Amino acid sequence: GAGVSQSPSNKVTEKGKDVELRCDPISGHTALYWYRQSLGQGLEFLIYFQGNSAPDKSGLPSDRFSAERTGGSVSTLTIQRTQQEDSAVYLCASSLPGGPVEQFFGPGTRLTVL
Amino acid sequence: GQNIDQPTEMTATEGAIVQINCTYQTSGFNGLFWYQQHAGEAPTFLSYNVLDGLEEKGRFSSFLSRSKGYSYLLLKELQMKDSASYLCAVDSSASKIIFGSGTRLSIRP
């Protein structure tokens, strides 16, 4: 079956603009994660959705970042008033509930803020 | 605080064995992951350790000592395609998986 998909694959935007990044998880995966990866760095946890539970937003770096998940499937990560330091690869991962929770990653969206 | 340490870079020779270490200090611990990430690609799952000891999966093995906050990934019979970054990650709670910065492994002929 299809894996995790993300769109767009690349996004170039000007400082101050808003951007929306989309993630389509694997069908049946109720858990969904967003991570950020700067060049040569590890993954920085941003937000976690599990089913209908309230999301864990503890990793969001500022109130310019928000995410939603509609219908327990597709998720959108929104960054408002983008800054140059927001430039990174944004990775989405999904997994089945319970454990061990192997995560399946999407190809990522490379965001460049000029 | 939460901290995961692993070497930044390592180099090894094709056909040889390499061990990538990871130490962690986290507020909770459910298990430890190893992921492989080739340049420009998404991470892919290698292993998940919950109990102490060594788990072998083909050329790759992963070891965990919970009392020492220590894990290693052992790669045998290295191949050029093993050149990648290897990420150690701790499942610290029901929702949060904390990743290390990764170890960039280069394989030379």
Side-chain angles (χ1 to χ4, degrees), chain A residues 32-97:
Chain A
L32 187 148
Y33 302 76
W34 282 99
Y35 294 91
R36 178 169 69 176
Q37 187 173 33
S38 300
L39 188 63
Q41 301 298 310
L43 276 66
E44 176 188 2
F45 167 82
L46 296 177
I47 189 169
Y48 164 76
F49 295 91
Q50 173 58 277
N52 295 322
S53 302
D56 178 348
K57 305 179 181 180
S58 58
L60 294 178
S62 77
D63 59 8
R64 296 186 296 105
F65 288 72
S66 63
E68 62 178 24
R69 190 177 184 191
T70 55
S73 181
V74 172
S75 178
T76 302
L77 177 69
T78 301
I79 309 173
Q80 297 177 309
R81 305 181 302 281
T82 52
Q83 303 294 314
Q84 289 184 331
E85 60 263 28
D86 299 335
S87 296
V89 175
Y90 289 81
L91 290 163
C92 173
S94 71
S95 68
L96 291 167

Side-chain angles (χ1 to χ4, degrees), chain A residues 14-30:
Chain A
E14 294 179 347
K15 177 182 174 181
K17 300 285 189 182
D18 297 352
V19 295
E20 283 189 354
L21 312 179
R22 176 188 169 103
C23 171
D24 281 272
I26 293 173
S27 178
H29 282 195
T30 57

Side-chain angles (χ1 to χ4, degrees), chain A residues 37 42 48 56 58 100-101 103 106, chain B residues 33 35 37 42 48 95-96 100:
Chain A
Q37 187 173 33
Y48 164 76
D56 178 348
S58 58
V101 285
Q103 296 177 316
Chain B
F33 292 92
Y35 280 84
Q37 185 177 28
Y48 181 69
S95 64
K96 189 165 293 181

Side-chain angles (χ1 to χ4, degrees), chain B residues 16-18 46-47 54-62 73-79 81-82:
Chain B
I17 298 173
V18 70
L46 290 178
S47 66
L54 185 69
E55 292 196 9
E56 300 185 62
K57 190 186 297 184
R59 295 190 298 113
F60 292 7
S61 302
S62 56
L73 181 69
L74 191 71
L75 292 75
K76 304 177 184 176
E77 302 168 16
L78 286 169
Q79 302 174 9
K81 68 178 182 180
D82 297 330

Side-chain angles (χ1 to χ4, degrees), chain B residues 6 9 11 16 20 25 34 36 51 56 65 67 71 83-84 89 92-94:
Chain B
Q6 46 181 136
E9 292 189 36
T11 302
I20 303 174
Q25 289 179 307
W34 283 97
Q36 180 189 60
L51 302 176
E56 300 185 62
S65 169
S67 62
S71 172
S83 293
S92 70
S93 75

